[in-house]
Amino acid sequence: MFRRNTLSAVRHCTKQTVGPNRMSFTRQKHYLLQYKYVPDVLEKRDPFRPNHLGLIKEFYKEGKVVMGGAFADPVDGALIIFDCNTKEEVEAFVSQDPYHLNSLVTEYTIREWTTVPLED
């Protein structure tokens, strides 16, 4: 769906020392939003899809969404990666999302995810 270089988005970082050579790297915090969809989501999503994608684009332009998309074969859920300060910002997305508001999402989970850039 949308993708931004996660290595360039280093806003919420802490320095760590790891590895056998005591190599220094930067850890970055993200949030993962995982949706579980109703079984017939492909038949039901059309009226809500433009506003759902518009909301994702809005959060992307604000620098809060890194990338996201639906799972395939079967299309039973989706994952969106957020680059934001708090879990509440992800909750704000969910509370506005037409897929959630119109019961296409049966369940969702928000998890904090710490990533390690692989660039030197």
Side-chain angles (χ1 to χ4, degrees):
M1 187 182 301
F2 301 96
R3 185 176 176 168
R4 183 174 49 151
N5 184 347
T6 58
L7 300 176
S8 67
V10 183
R11 289 186 299 156
H12 319 289
C13 303
T14 57
K15 279 286 194 186
Q16 301 290 326
T17 304
V18 299
N21 298 328
R22 308 292 292 167
M23 184 175 100
S24 181
F25 65 86
T26 304
R27 290 176 28 173
Q28 183 177 352
K29 182 173 67 172
H30 291 91
Y31 288 92
L32 302 176
L33 171 62
Q34 183 172 353
Y35 277 166
K36 290 187 181 179
Y37 289 148
V38 294
D40 52 355
V41 68
L42 293 177
E43 290 80 33
K44 293 184 174 180
R45 73 180 181 179
D46 285 348
F48 313 110
R49 194 159 194 253
N51 289 334
H52 167 74
L53 295 176
L55 183 64
I56 294 171
K57 287 178 184 177
E58 178 183 321
F59 274 68
Y60 176 78
K61 288 177 184 174
E62 292 173 2
K64 294 180 181 180
V65 165
V66 177
M67 69 177 79
F71 301 127
D73 296 324
V75 179
D76 59 356
L79 184 73
I80 303 172
I81 301 173
F82 287 81
D83 179 12
C84 54
N85 294 314
T86 66
K87 182 178 180 178
E88 288 74 23
E89 291 175 273
V90 182
E91 289 281 1
F93 173 90
V94 173
S95 73
Q96 300 172 62
D97 188 2
Y99 281 14
H100 180 255
L101 296 173
N102 291 283
S103 301
L104 298 181
V105 175
T106 61
E107 183 180 333
Y108 71 90
T109 306
I110 300 170
R111 296 281 311 266
E112 187 175 324
W113 183 41
T114 303
T115 58
V116 179
L118 301 176
E119 287 184 339
D120 291 333

